[in-house]
Every structure is written in structure tokens, then in C-alpha cells.
Amino acid sequence: TRFNLFTSMDVSVTPNSGYSTGDGMKAIAEVAKETLPEGYGYEYSGLTRSEAESSNSTGLIFALCIVFVYLILSAQYESYILPLSVVLSIPFGLAGAFIFTNLFGHSNDIYMQISLIMLIGLLAKNAILIVQFALERRRTGMAIKYSAILGAGARLRPILMTSLTMIFGMLPLMFASGVGANGNISIGVGTVGGMLIGTIALIVIVPALFIVFQYIEEKVMPNRRKEIADSETLSE
């Protein structure tokens, strides 16, 4: 047979139980490097080819996700500094996804990477809820520290509601069985771990980051600093 105009032969490889397709691809690369004679090579076809191509662009995809989140928030907040309080909080949730993936004995496969991309949006949303409210209070003249505390307190309920909904919704995937269970479990474990640890961390981390970056912004741009504007804010 021919593949990409080259004379070829078909070889089917099935990973043993307990090993992912990524582990199988690493083993194929090691064996091919040691045993294939000069002038011979190998290529993947089907889903494995798609997985191999996607793994090469994973870093670029994650970088673009972070860049787009940062640019959109820069336009929303009219600031290049304050969005960092959202962007720098995202890795805590992604770390939770990796922790759960290792605890459950799974690998960093294409399904797990899909859950990471989804987590970037979900975790950024939770952080935005806190930062947006805190920024509104700050713009009325409230002190930075109290703006951050009120932001975390006022947005605690909607953050917990959306996060717990996502976690419980992913539990069937996390404990899936049958055909295609490995992919479902990888997505479920990554998402549940990232949302659980990320939500706990964001409640503490985001207000602290808001205080730091809002202080830096007002030092760099003093015209954004405001005094307390009305009695309602003062009493709050």
C-alpha cells in the first residue's frame, strides 16, 4: 500500500490496560529510533494522527487563550495592569486539574487538554465576578482593601452556585464506564479538580491580586484615584 505517496505497510497498535495513547506513541517513537533502518520512517493515520498534530500545537493554543482573555479584560477595565489579577489567578485552577489527573492515575492526553481550555474560561469568569464588583466599589471612592473584601463577599454565592453546578454536572463523566469511558473520565477528572481547587483558591487569591494591581495602577496613573463620593458608599 501507499501512504503520502510512499510505499508503506499498515501496523495497528493497541496500548495495554493502564496506558494511554500518548504512552503508546512515546513507546513507538523509542522503538522506531532504535530499530528502524536508515531511510525508513513512520506516520500516524486516523484519530492518532489528529492527536499527534494537536499535541504539537497545545502550547500555542494555551498561549492564545491567555492572550485573548487578557486583551478582552484590558478593553473591559480600560487598563493593562488590572487584568493581571484575573490572568494570574487562572494557573491555580489549572494546577488543580493536574493534581486530580495524577491522583486518579490518568495522563495529560488530548481530552485532559480540552478540559484545561474550558477551565480557563470558567475560572476567568469567577475571577471577573470578584474584580468587576471590587472595581465598581473602588471607583466610587471606597478603599482598595475594603473594595476587594466586599467583592469577594458579594460574589461568593454566585461563584459557589456556578462552580458546584459545573462540578456536579461533570461527576457522571468522572465515573463513566463502557465504550469511550477513558476520554470521558479524563475530561471529568480534569474539570472537577480544576473547578474545586480553583474555586477555593480564587476566593482568596483574586482579592489579594486586585489589591496589589489596583494599588500599582493608581501609583502609575494617579488620576484614577478617587475619594469617597457618596454617603451610601461611606456607610458601606
Side-chain angles (χ1 to χ4, degrees):
T1 59
R2 288 187 174 273
F3 187 82
N4 285 346
L5 302 180
F6 289 97
T7 303
S8 65
M9 61 177 291
D10 294 332
V11 178
S12 298
V13 180
T14 303
N16 202 351
S17 60
Y19 295 91
S20 67
T21 55
D23 296 328
M25 292 164 69
K26 291 179 182 178
I28 291 173
E30 294 173 358
V31 173
K33 184 178 180 181
E34 295 176 358
T35 60
L36 283 183
E38 185 177 354
Y40 284 78
Y42 68 95
E43 290 285 347
Y44 296 111
S45 62
L47 291 176
T48 307
R49 185 179 184 87
S50 300
E51 181 177 350
E53 292 175 349
S54 64
S55 62
N56 296 330
S57 58
T58 300
L60 177 61
I61 293 173
F62 280 112
L64 288 176
C65 288
I66 297 296
V67 168
F68 274 108
V69 169
Y70 174 78
L71 292 177
I72 292 171
L73 292 178
S74 297
Q76 178 178 343
Y77 298 143
E78 298 179 352
S79 168
Y80 290 111
I81 299 176
L82 193 56
L84 294 175
S85 60
V86 175
V87 173
L88 293 182
S89 65
I90 294 175
F92 291 92
L94 300 185
F98 283 107
I99 291 173
F100 266 57
T101 298
N102 290 329
L103 286 177
F104 281 79
H106 294 279
S107 61
N108 181 16
D109 54 18
I110 185 65
Y111 300 103
M112 199 276 192
Q113 292 167 11
I114 292 173
S115 70
L116 292 181
I117 295 175
M118 180 170 56
L119 278 173
I120 292 177
L122 294 171
L123 295 171
K125 173 193 68 75
N126 288 341
I128 290 169
L129 288 174
I130 297 176
V131 172
Q132 183 63 37
F133 185 87
L135 183 60
E136 290 175 358
R137 307 315 294 165
R138 179 55 183 164
R139 284 174 175 172
T140 62
M142 184 176 288
I144 298 177
K145 179 175 69 173
Y146 295 114
S147 299
I149 294 172
L150 280 175
R155 292 295 181 255
L156 178 61
R157 182 176 62 86
I159 287 175
L160 290 180
M161 287 175 61
T162 55
S163 299
L164 291 176
T165 300
M166 190 68 191
I167 290 172
F168 285 120
M170 282 292 174
L171 287 180
L173 289 181
M174 187 174 175
F175 299 103
S177 60
V179 178
N182 288 336
N184 293 335
I185 293 173
S186 294
I187 294 177
V189 168
T191 305
V192 170
M195 288 301 296
L196 182 61
I197 296 180
T199 301
I200 296 173
L202 290 182
I203 295 172
V204 179
I205 297 298
V206 173
L209 292 174
F210 173 81
I211 293 173
V212 172
F213 289 111
Q214 182 65 22
Y215 176 81
I216 294 174
E217 178 174 308
E218 293 182 4
K219 282 291 185 182
V220 175
M221 304 179 66
N223 60 319
R224 298 205 173 195
R225 189 187 302 118
K226 294 184 178 181
E227 301 300 329
I228 291 181
D230 53 66
S231 57
E232 181 183 352
T233 306
L234 179 60
S235 62
E236 188 175 3

